[in-house]
Amino acid sequence: EDQVTQSPEALRLQEGESSSLNCSYTVSGLRGLFWYRQDPGKGPEFLFTLYSAGEEKEKERLKATLTKKESFLHITAPKPEDSATYLCAERAQGGSEKLVFGKGTKLTVNP
Amino acid sequence: DTGVSQDPRHKITKRGQNVTFRCDPISEHNRLYWYRQTLGQGPEFLTYFQNEAQLEKSRLLSDRFSAERPKGSFSTLEIQRTEQGDSAMYLCASSLGSGPETQYFGPGTRLLVL
């Protein structure tokens, strides 16, 4: 069964302190690896889609990378407004269109 | 582009009552999805439609849950005889049905069953 594991569960950074979030997935024929940002009480906001190992995408201080078994979300020089829960999801195998989400990493950036 | 909208944003009900939520997808999107999210967890898939056809349902979707998308536009999710375990955020998403297939989420409906 599809499974997505994110680590760490929570991460506290000082403003400007770069770090990475990890997402491990199990599906053998990946049909898309997705990153979302979720603020408290709101719906997930789309960030990136990655399809093949070696692919990278960037947006402002965020960069997502993909290997054959995991994805990383790199946060460079974070600001307090980057504080949120970051969710990783894979599209399920077997022709399903559903997304299978991890539990997320709660990021707090202190000023 | 107004994005995915959901109504109501919050709902408090008593155990045993029926509730109905509405989702309006992005206008040109033909796929619509429902997910449920509890505190500290990622969203869990419930069901999805392509146009008006319901193509997939999760085992999480008990007989008390029913979803419709009658004209391939907006969708409703009804929960009958609510239980305290139904308390969660109910999220709707939509996608174009072709190309990159990114799912865009609405703001969610927060349900509290007392």
Side-chain angles (χ1 to χ4, degrees):
Chain A
E1 187 171 321
D2 303 299
Q3 189 170 357
V4 174
T5 304
Q6 292 189 245
S7 62
E9 291 185 7
L11 181 63
R12 285 187 174 273
L13 300 173
Q14 289 298 122
E15 184 171 2
E17 180 187 0
S18 301
S19 189
S20 296
L21 314 181
N22 177 264
C23 170
S24 299
Y25 61 91
T26 58
V27 70
S28 56
L30 186 66
R31 298 167 56 226
L33 189 291
F34 301 81
W35 282 98
Y36 289 84
R37 169 192 170 128
Q38 187 172 31
D39 292 303
K42 297 188 177 182
E45 175 189 346
F46 170 72
L47 293 174
F48 304 110
T49 307
L50 302 166
Y51 286 101
S52 54
E55 190 174 358
E56 298 183 354
K57 290 196 176 170
E58 285 189 68
K59 179 181 180 180
E60 297 181 354
R61 295 177 293 282
L62 301 177
K63 183 169 80 171
T65 61
L66 183 66
T67 72
K68 287 186 178 179
K69 292 187 177 180
E70 55 194 349
S71 177
F72 294 93
L73 185 65
H74 307 278
I75 304 176
T76 302
K79 299 182 177 182
E81 53 262 42
D82 295 322
S83 297
T85 295
Y86 290 86
L87 295 165
C88 171
E90 64 180 9
R91 180 173 285 121
Q93 56 185 325
S96 171
E97 293 302 325
K98 70 180 181 184
L99 294 181
V100 177
F101 282 86
K103 293 184 179 182
T105 294
K106 183 176 181 180
L107 174 66
T108 304
V109 182
N110 296 315
Chain B
D1 181 5
T2 57
V4 178
S5 61
Q6 293 186 244
D7 184 69
R9 296 291 311 279
H10 304 273
K11 180 71 177 179
I12 300 174
T13 192
K14 292 182 179 179
R15 189 177 49 170
Q17 298 295 305
N18 299 344
V19 294
T20 300
F21 309 140
R22 175 179 171 128
C23 171
D24 287 89
I26 295 171
S27 58
E28 67 271 23
H29 286 185
N30 67 353
R31 287 185 176 167
L32 186 147
Y33 310 78
W34 286 99
Y35 291 82
R36 179 172 67 186
Q37 186 177 26
T38 53
L39 204 61
Q41 303 295 314
E44 293 179 294
F45 172 79
L46 293 177
T47 188
Y48 104 92
F49 293 84
Q50 178 155 315
N51 300 314
E52 65 275 10
Q54 189 173 19
L55 296 186
E56 188 175 354
K57 291 196 292 186
S58 165
R59 287 169 292 178
L60 292 174
L61 212 64
S62 77
D63 292 344
R64 297 184 297 105
F65 287 70
S66 63
E68 293 183 343
R69 194 181 184 200
K71 296 183 179 179
S73 57
F74 72 92
S75 175
T76 57
L77 178 68
E78 181 183 16
I79 309 174
Q80 296 182 327
R81 306 181 301 282
T82 52
E83 302 173 356
Q84 288 185 323
D86 296 331
S87 296
M89 173 80 90
Y90 289 84
L91 293 162
C92 176
S94 71
S95 69
L96 199 53
S98 64
E101 267 309 289
T102 298
Q103 294 182 24
Y104 295 92
F105 284 81
T109 294
R110 171 77 67 188
L111 173 66
L112 178 61
V113 181
L114 300 176

